[in-house]
Amino acid sequence: MYSPQIVVEALLNGLMLGAIYALIALGLTLIYGVLHIVNFAHGALLTVAMFMVWLACARFGLDPYLAILFVAPAMFALGYALQRFIIGPASHGKDNGILLVTLGLSIIIENALLAAFQSDTRTITTDYSFRVVELGPLLLSFPRVVGFGVTIATTLLLWLVLHQTDIGKAIRAVAKEKLGASLVGISVPHVYAMTFAIGCACLAVAAGLLMPSFYVSPKTGAAFVLVAFTIVVLGGMGSIPGALIGGLLIGVVEAASSLFLGDSLGQIGIFLIFIVTLLVRPTGLFGARA
């Protein structure tokens, strides 16, 4: 039987890991909410961002958190170009076409990374990778505390962009009524590309937060995106508050499952709560009813 201190520590560390999960899901749910597509390339793009952070650290000696300042604009530009010049034109506006294009893009990116970096895993060791923060009697992982704070700040920044800027208002208009938005002069292809770019920039921030305590290989993104898809469905497809709350909830459930069932069975709790949510509320916690 574990002591209350160990249980509380595990749950708090899970809550903070869930914040990084939420950041990955944030880009996925934003893209779905505006473009109405499930982006199967999301995990592969997360892997690209993690390799960018690793290269910035290994080749140029940058701190992973500082590397976010350079990787985020690069991922923003990559996301904009992919949607504007590849995904949009190749899909010809059909939903099933977009799904096939993002799936094909995921396969191409993964194999390109395998050719460039082989299947080896790569890590970054920093002075704070194993540092802990003392909160009274509790010991919390420093990288996860930073991840929690940056995720909250990024979510607030995204909310401000969507509600206080012209491009944010255009994104919300296109999400609600694409035809009406185009009739008042909003460029829908540009808004789609900007939305995809913002989603990729969120992945860059998540990559910088993950690298001090996780490894990267060409298949790393697949593990995270599976959890991200679960969070998006749990929180409600297209809901930003749902992605944040769902991510935190998933982190706590995973930590509790790992503590009481063992690390190898840690994700059982995630899929149990996912199934229960689908049975009780199929639209998710914050999803609108049809």
Side-chain angles (χ1 to χ4, degrees):
M1 191 67 182
Y2 295 104
S3 68
Q5 179 181 340
I6 292 178
V7 174
V8 173
E9 277 182 0
L11 295 181
L12 285 177
N13 279 301
L15 181 78
M16 294 173 187
L17 177 60
I20 302 179
Y21 288 162
L23 191 54
I24 298 170
L26 204 58
L28 192 63
T29 201
L30 179 66
I31 291 170
Y32 178 84
V34 179
L35 279 69
H36 304 294
I37 64 169
V38 178
N39 178 23
F40 286 113
H42 205 67
L45 290 170
L46 172 64
T47 310
V48 171
M50 293 178 76
F51 269 111
M52 284 185 179
V53 173
W54 176 79
L55 284 172
C57 299
R59 297 288 184 264
F60 304 104
L62 285 179
D63 183 89
Y65 297 149
L66 183 61
I68 293 174
L69 299 177
F70 300 94
V71 175
M75 287 298 295
F76 182 93
L78 175 62
Y80 188 95
L82 286 176
Q83 169 58 34
R84 192 63 187 267
F85 303 113
I86 297 179
I87 297 176
S91 65
H92 303 293
K94 298 178 181 177
D95 291 345
N96 56 348
I98 294 175
L99 294 178
L100 291 175
V101 171
T102 59
L103 182 60
L105 187 62
S106 172
I107 295 172
I108 292 171
I109 292 174
E110 188 175 302
N111 282 280
L113 290 173
L114 276 170
F117 298 98
Q118 289 78 49
S119 59
D120 300 335
T121 58
R122 290 169 169 81
T123 59
I124 298 172
T125 302
T126 65
D127 294 337
Y128 51 78
S129 291
F130 301 102
R131 188 183 300 172
V132 295
V133 176
E134 294 185 19
L135 185 64
L138 304 176
L139 300 177
L140 306 178
S141 166
F142 177 79
R144 293 189 182 184
V145 172
V146 173
F148 182 81
V150 173
T151 295
I152 299 300
T154 304
T155 304
L156 290 175
L157 177 63
L158 181 59
W159 187 89
L160 287 174
V161 168
L162 291 177
H163 290 82
Q164 301 297 326
T165 66
D166 291 341
I167 186 62
K169 294 172 183 174
I171 288 173
R172 290 193 293 130
V174 170
K176 288 185 178 179
E177 179 51 61
K178 182 175 70 174
L179 179 60
S182 64
L183 290 176
V184 298
I186 295 175
S187 171
V188 174
H190 174 65
V191 169
Y192 278 179
M194 288 294 292
T195 304
F196 205 92
I198 292 172
C200 289
C202 289
L203 289 179
V205 180
L209 298 176
L210 285 170
M211 282 310 295
S213 54
F214 285 88
Y215 67 88
V216 61
S217 75
K219 294 184 178 294
T220 298
F224 285 103
V225 84
L226 183 61
V227 178
F229 275 123
T230 305
I231 292 169
V232 170
V233 175
L234 175 62
M237 301 287 281
S239 170
I240 290 178
L244 181 61
I245 301 300
L248 297 177
L249 180 60
I250 287 296
V252 171
V253 170
E254 184 183 40
S257 301
S258 298
L259 182 65
F260 293 107
L261 301 177
D263 289 338
S264 59
L265 299 176
Q267 293 200 329
I268 281 183
I270 295 177
F271 297 108
L272 282 178
I273 197 170
F274 175 69
I275 293 171
V276 170
T277 302
L278 286 180
L279 292 174
V280 176
R281 189 175 170 82
T283 56
L285 298 177
F286 291 82
R289 292 184 182 277

